[in-house]
Amino acid sequence: MKSYQLLLLTFWVISGSTIFAQSDTIIYKNKEKLLGKVIEISETDIRYKKETNPTGPIYSVDRNKISEIRFSNGQVEQIVPDEMSANQSQEILDKRRAIKFEPFGLVGGRVIAGYEKVLKVGINLEVKGGYVNSKIGYSGYNNYYTEGVFLKPGIKFLLGTDYYYKGVKYTHPLRGHYI
């Protein structure tokens, strides 16, 4: 009877260690694979322990760098980016030019349009042009007839202190102040 219990205990210990030895596979967006045991999946990062050191420290990787996780039980979880997240860096980097209109300029007798382009991070070029005619819209207390065109080029700089939070890499590239 004792040998039966010893055999059962040995089987239980061996099967328990193989269950804990199975590891999860974390797959990066660049197709690189990492073996470990996933501890936690949060809104911003994924915490795991390395397969080579399961009793060691807990590591963390940015959730936006991961495409999927294959768990040891065969379950696969796709990591999709949050559409409302402020760290959609590719979307922000793609928006480096803008065409602008000033619809309330019509009230003052002006039709204004502009174009803004990022020259490099923190420096933008903006050009505005328009047509002024006091017979368009409300002329106010001025009874004089005015008409003309204008062009207003300028450089916009990103000045001041920006606050950085985890997951937020850069403010919108078309933001800034004029000289």
Side-chain angles (χ1 to χ4, degrees):
M1 180 92 171
K2 288 225 177 214
S3 64
Y4 175 70
Q5 289 177 344
L6 183 62
L7 182 62
L8 188 61
L9 179 65
T10 306
F11 177 73
W12 181 70
V13 168
I14 290 172
S15 65
S17 66
T18 57
I19 289 172
F20 289 116
Q22 293 178 352
S23 60
D24 304 326
T25 305
I26 300 170
I27 301 173
Y28 285 85
K29 288 185 178 178
N30 65 2
K31 306 299 181 204
E32 182 181 331
K33 294 181 180 180
L34 177 91
L35 296 176
K37 186 68 179 166
V38 174
I39 306 296
E40 178 185 2
I41 300 174
S42 72
E43 291 182 17
T44 58
D45 57 359
I46 296 169
R47 299 176 61 191
Y48 66 95
K49 287 191 174 198
K50 288 186 177 180
E51 178 189 42
T52 56
N53 192 4
T55 59
I58 296 175
Y59 294 91
S60 176
V61 64
D62 187 8
R63 183 183 172 117
N64 294 326
K65 294 180 181 178
I66 305 299
S67 66
E68 70 181 43
I69 299 173
R70 293 183 186 155
F71 293 101
S72 58
N73 64 359
Q75 180 184 1
V76 177
E77 182 168 341
Q78 300 289 329
I79 306 297
V80 292
D82 182 14
E83 341 177 301
M84 302 303 285
S85 176
N87 52 13
Q88 299 284 337
S89 61
Q90 188 60 40
E91 181 182 330
I92 290 174
L93 291 177
D94 288 345
K95 294 184 169 103
R96 293 182 168 250
R97 8 185 117 85
I99 296 175
K100 302 176 175 185
F101 296 99
E102 295 185 16
F104 293 110
L106 291 172
V107 174
R110 297 179 297 276
V111 178
I112 302 170
Y115 176 75
E116 184 174 351
K117 180 181 179 183
V118 175
L119 298 176
K120 66 179 192 175
V121 176
I123 300 177
N124 302 346
L125 173 67
E126 182 172 11
V127 178
K128 281 188 178 181
Y131 172 67
V132 178
N133 185 340
S134 62
K135 291 188 177 180
I136 303 174
Y138 177 69
S139 62
Y141 56 87
N142 185 352
N143 291 331
Y144 300 108
Y145 174 70
T146 57
E147 183 177 25
V149 295
F150 70 90
L151 181 67
K152 182 174 90 170
I155 295 180
K156 190 161 57 168
F157 295 97
L158 185 61
L159 302 173
T161 304
D162 286 333
Y163 297 96
Y164 297 96
Y165 299 103
K166 183 173 182 170
V168 178
K169 295 187 180 187
Y170 189 66
T171 58
H172 198 283
L174 296 177
R175 180 182 166 265
H177 302 284
Y178 295 100
I179 287 189

